[in-house]
């Protein structure tokens, strides 16, 4: 479904909502670039299945992202119409330095007209999208942010420079849902004020992997981190480091997996000049099924690969991303693919044991308990 059809669907839904109330327990909200599988947003699917199996009423709102080419969901309600209003007001009020208060005011405005018939008790988002807006829409609702990336000690979306909880979380009274006790402990131990003691819980990892790689082959998955979050120098440094690995190992095939938010293909194309490098546009679990080694500077895929016993060769580049050895005590520090070939069984067992503290199985009972409190 294209953006135009989504926009028309959005207008129609919110026109109907204006005349007839919708009361639900949960609103799920996410940017559409999280539609990363044939089933849509894989992070939300297990949570939505819990709602279906327990007769918990819900709505799914999908925020448009017109810059990235991801499919629109047929199950979610396009938020395009309301989002257009939000973006317009933001531009008209561009002089405002406090985006949190501005989005809250927009939310209050919408709750008195377009969304006046929208009734909900819980709001669950990912990547902290829409938090201030929906806090303005419903001051008494419980707001949750589901982890999707790496949580580490100085990540600015969770902490400011003084190890104080970030404003977006603190001022909106947001509950953080983590993949496992390791990430939960990172939040609690680095929080000077103790906010996360009450506002962070572990519900487990809501994506399942059904395969396990237990023999070595020469297929290597590379998770690329070329995004606008990094400077030209940083992106170039990562590119050169990965290119050297590819050149040094002509007998291996490297499957290059772009970051979901990457729009600049220059560095990817540079790597594809190597005959043993191939771009992959498959689902992550499909890529992992065909590979026995993972290479990255830093990535959540390091954890997801470890779930299957697939070790990662981490390119430790100072000041780029997060240091997995320091933050998470990643057990394999070798930088030579030959070491992974010789010690594959040992490395596979070590990373599979290591990851269990950070990624645990999704717990539906804990999830239900949190939303029904």
């Amino acid at each position: 479904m294209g953006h135009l059809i989504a926009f028309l669907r959005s207008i129609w839904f919110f026109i109907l909502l204006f005349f007839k109330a919708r009361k639900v327990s949960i609103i799920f909200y996410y940017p559409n670039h999280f539609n990363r599988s044939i089933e849509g947003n894989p992070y939300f699917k297990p949570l939505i299945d819990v709602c279906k199996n327990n007769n918990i009423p819900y709505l799914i709102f999908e925020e448009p992202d017109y810059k990235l080419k991801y499919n629109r969901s047929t199950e979610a309600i396009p938020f395009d119409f309301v989002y257009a209003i939000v973006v317009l007001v933001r531009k008209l009020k561009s002089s405002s330095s406090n985006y949190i208060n501005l989005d809250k005011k927009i939310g209050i405005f919408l709750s008195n007209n377009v969304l006046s018939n929208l009734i909900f008790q819980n709001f669950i988002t990912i990547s902290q999208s829409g938090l201030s807006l929906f806090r303005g829409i419903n001051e008494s609702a419980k707001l949750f942010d589901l982890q999707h990336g790496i949580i580490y000690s100085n990540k600015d979306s969770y902490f400011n420079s003084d190890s104080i909880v970030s404003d977006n979380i603190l001022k909106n009274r947001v509950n953080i849902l983590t993949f496992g006790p390791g990430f939960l402990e990172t939040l609690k131990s680095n929080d000077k004020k103790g906010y996360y003691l009450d506002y962070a819980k572990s519900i487990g990892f809501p994506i399942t992997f059904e395969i396990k790689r237990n023999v070595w082959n020469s297929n290597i998955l590379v998770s690329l981190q070329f995004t606008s979050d990094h400077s030209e120098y940083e992106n170039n440094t990562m590119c050169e480091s990965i290119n050297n690995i590819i050149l040094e190992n002509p007998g291996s095939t490297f499957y290059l997996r772009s970051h979901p938010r990457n729009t600049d293909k220059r560095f990817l194309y540079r790597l594809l000049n190597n005959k043993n490098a191939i771009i992959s546009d498959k689902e992550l679990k499909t890529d992992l099924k065909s590979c026995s080694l993972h290479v990255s500077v830093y990535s959540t895929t390091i954890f997801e690969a470890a779930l299957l016993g697939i070790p990662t060769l981490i390119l430790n580049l100072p000041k780029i991303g997060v240091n997995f050895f320091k933050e998470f005590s990643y057990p394999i520090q070798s930088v030579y693919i030959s070491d992974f070939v010789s010690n594959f069984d040992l490395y596979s067992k070590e990373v599979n044991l290591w990851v269990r503290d950070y990624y645990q199985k999704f717990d539906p009972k804990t999830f239900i308990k949190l939303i029904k409190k």
Side-chain angles (χ1 to χ4, degrees), residues 168-349:
N168 197 32
I169 292 173
L170 188 62
K171 292 183 178 181
N172 289 311
R173 307 190 310 280
V174 179
N175 298 271
I176 305 300
L177 304 176
T178 73
F179 294 156
F183 291 118
L184 183 62
E185 179 58 28
T186 297
L187 289 175
K188 292 180 177 180
S189 63
N190 290 282
D191 174 11
K192 288 183 177 180
K193 300 294 185 179
Y195 175 88
Y196 288 125
L197 292 175
D198 297 317
Y199 286 87
K201 300 293 181 183
S202 173
I203 64 168
F205 186 51
I207 302 178
T208 58
F209 293 90
E210 299 175 354
I211 54 95
K212 181 174 175 60
R213 166 61 55 195
N214 53 18
V215 293
W216 171 263
N217 61 33
S218 296
N219 296 329
I220 299 172
L221 177 65
V222 184
S223 293
L224 305 177
Q225 297 292 326
F226 305 136
T227 70
S228 58
D229 297 338
H230 296 293
S231 67
E232 181 79 6
Y233 171 79
E234 290 173 332
N235 282 325
N236 191 62
T237 300
M238 288 190 287
C239 184
E240 289 184 359
S241 183
I242 294 169
N243 195 59
N244 288 337
I245 288 285
I246 296 174
L247 288 171
E248 292 167 2
N249 296 275
S252 296
T253 301
F254 292 82
Y255 293 84
L256 308 181
R257 187 175 182 86
S258 289
H259 191 280
R261 291 186 289 104
N262 174 248
T263 56
D264 185 347
K265 305 298 183 182
R266 290 175 298 143
F267 301 104
L268 171 63
Y269 292 153
R270 189 187 305 177
L271 296 175
L272 288 173
N273 286 328
N274 296 287
K275 293 182 179 180
N276 57 332
I278 302 171
I279 187 170
S280 175
D281 56 1
K282 299 176 182 178
E283 290 187 32
L284 175 60
K285 62 183 179 181
T286 302
D287 281 335
L288 289 173
K289 185 176 181 179
S290 63
C291 296
S292 55
L293 179 63
H294 176 234
V295 173
S296 186
V297 177
Y298 70 99
S299 172
T300 54
T301 307
I302 294 173
F303 292 99
E304 293 159 355
L307 288 171
L308 307 177
I310 299 173
T312 298
L313 189 161
I314 297 178
L315 303 170
N316 191 20
L317 303 178
K319 298 182 180 180
I320 298 180
V322 56
N323 187 319
F324 262 72
F325 306 115
K326 179 181 178 181
E327 286 283 343
F328 308 115
S329 300
Y330 190 75
I332 313 299
Q333 297 194 30
S334 176
V335 294
Y336 299 105
I337 287 181
S338 59
D339 288 344
F340 288 87
V341 177
S342 302
N343 300 285
F344 182 75
D345 288 343
L346 174 62
Y347 288 177
S348 177
K349 292 175 182 177

Side-chain angles (χ1 to χ4, degrees), residues 123-158:
F123 173 79
I124 301 177
T125 189
I126 192 166
S127 73
Q128 300 185 17
S129 299
L131 288 173
S132 298
L133 179 69
F134 277 84
R135 174 53 73 207
I137 293 170
N138 188 337
E139 175 60 29
S140 63
K142 290 184 69 175
L143 271 54
F144 297 90
D145 182 66
L146 177 65
Q147 178 186 353
H148 79 283
I150 306 166
I151 297 176
Y152 49 93
S153 58
N154 62 344
K155 190 168 184 177
D156 56 10
S157 55
Y158 295 97

